Amino acid sequence: MTDPLADSRTDYLAGALADDAPPSPSALLGTWMQEALDRHEQEGDLPDPTAAVLSTVALDADGSPRPRSRTVLVKGLGEDGEALTATLYTNRDSAKGRELAAVPRAALLLPWYALQRQVRIEGTVAQLDDDASDGYFARRPRASQLGAWASRQSAPIASRAELEAQLAEAAARFEGTDVPRPPFWGGYRITAERVEFWQGRSGRLHDRIAYERGAGGWTRERLQP
């Protein structure tokens, strides 16, 4: 019997990643992100360029590590000196918030399938200060602000109706006023220690360029696919 998964094939022909990639990852990441945003606007086949898979480490009762992943939205890319940073926001009492508090390290994967590209970012994690978190929260749509108050993220709930009742309660609480940032909600900054760029190529001979940050700055190398 034919296995449709085993027999699924795609030949990657969308681009290439040259040996003369920039000496640090920030410029290349900025270029790739802009190209992803442009593809989203122009073609519509790249639904959310800022969507990324965030992987954290949960610790079992005996201390054993257990990786966990979920999709989040990256809300900032920048540089801090020679460091590359990525910013995201979430409920700090959620599963990922608790995991980041226990093990402040994370991996982030930006998958741009329409461009046959992905970027992997691995590094340390720190909470943003209140001013930065307040500034971003104030820019969010009101519905998203109320949702942050309404949802006890990652906690069990009996029904959708109960969740909607919590939202109605939050809406009534802040009716006619600005919605403040919940004290349990805020930002995180991942400071990259390793960044890898992957460009699909024909015959599975993909291009991979990896950057590692050490005391002397970034080093770059090509990896075999």
Side-chain angles (χ1 to χ4, degrees), residues 100-123:
L100 290 172
V103 182
R105 305 186 67 84
L108 200 64
L109 171 69
L110 289 154
W112 294 315
Y113 300 119
L115 295 171
Q116 299 176 356
R117 289 174 174 172
Q118 68 177 15
V119 179
R120 297 167 57 192
I121 300 172
E122 300 170 8

Side-chain angles (χ1 to χ4, degrees), residues 145-153 157 162-163 165-168 170 184:
Q145 293 175 334
L146 291 172
W149 279 98
S151 173
R152 301 172 181 88
Q153 194 175 84
I157 195 165
E162 184 175 336
L163 180 62
Q166 291 174 186
L167 177 60
F184 51 80

Side-chain angles (χ1 to χ4, degrees), residues 18 26 40 44 61 86 96 98 103 108 113 115 136 145 157 165 184 186 188 197 205 214-215 218 225:
S26 297
H40 169 69
K96 60 182 172 295
R98 296 192 301 271
V103 182
L108 200 64
Y113 300 119
L115 295 171
Y136 173 72
Q145 293 175 334
I157 195 165
F184 51 80
Y188 293 87
F197 295 84
L205 291 181
W218 291 100

Side-chain angles (χ1 to χ4, degrees), residues 189-210:
R189 177 176 288 120
I190 301 172
T191 299
E193 296 175 334
R194 186 180 188 277
V195 184
E196 181 186 320
F197 295 84
W198 181 97
Q199 175 71 63
R201 296 293 301 273
S202 182
R204 283 353 192 220
L205 291 181
H206 311 304
D207 288 331
R208 297 174 64 189
I209 301 291

Side-chain angles (χ1 to χ4, degrees), residues 33-163:
M33 175 59 82
Q34 188 57 57
E35 290 174 358
L37 292 168
D38 292 344
R39 180 66 174 250
H40 169 69
E41 292 294 328
Q42 296 166 9
E43 303 294 337
D45 58 353
L46 204 163
D48 198 334
T50 69
V53 178
L54 174 71
S55 297
T56 55
V57 177
L59 298 177
D60 289 337
D62 63 357
S64 300
R66 179 161 41 92
R68 302 182 69 180
S69 298
R70 78 288 286 160
T71 301
V72 299
L73 298 180
V74 175
K75 288 302 180 180
L77 292 172
E79 292 181 275
D80 183 5
E82 290 191 352
L84 183 153
T85 63
T87 301
L88 57 95
Y89 296 85
T90 191
N91 185 318
R92 289 176 173 156
D93 293 333
S94 66
K96 60 182 172 295
R98 296 192 301 271
E99 290 154 14
L100 290 172
V103 182
R105 305 186 67 84
L108 200 64
L109 171 69
L110 289 154
W112 294 315
Y113 300 119
L115 295 171
Q116 299 176 356
R117 289 174 174 172
Q118 68 177 15
V119 179
R120 297 167 57 192
I121 300 172
E122 300 170 8
T124 59
V125 181
Q127 289 188 8
L128 294 182
D129 61 29
D130 288 344
D131 287 344
S133 295
D134 288 342
Y136 173 72
F137 190 83
R139 297 169 58 186
R140 302 184 87 206
R142 186 176 180 87
S144 297
Q145 293 175 334
L146 291 172
W149 279 98
S151 173
R152 301 172 181 88
Q153 194 175 84
S154 301
I157 195 165
S159 66
R160 176 75 190 190
E162 184 175 336
L163 180 62

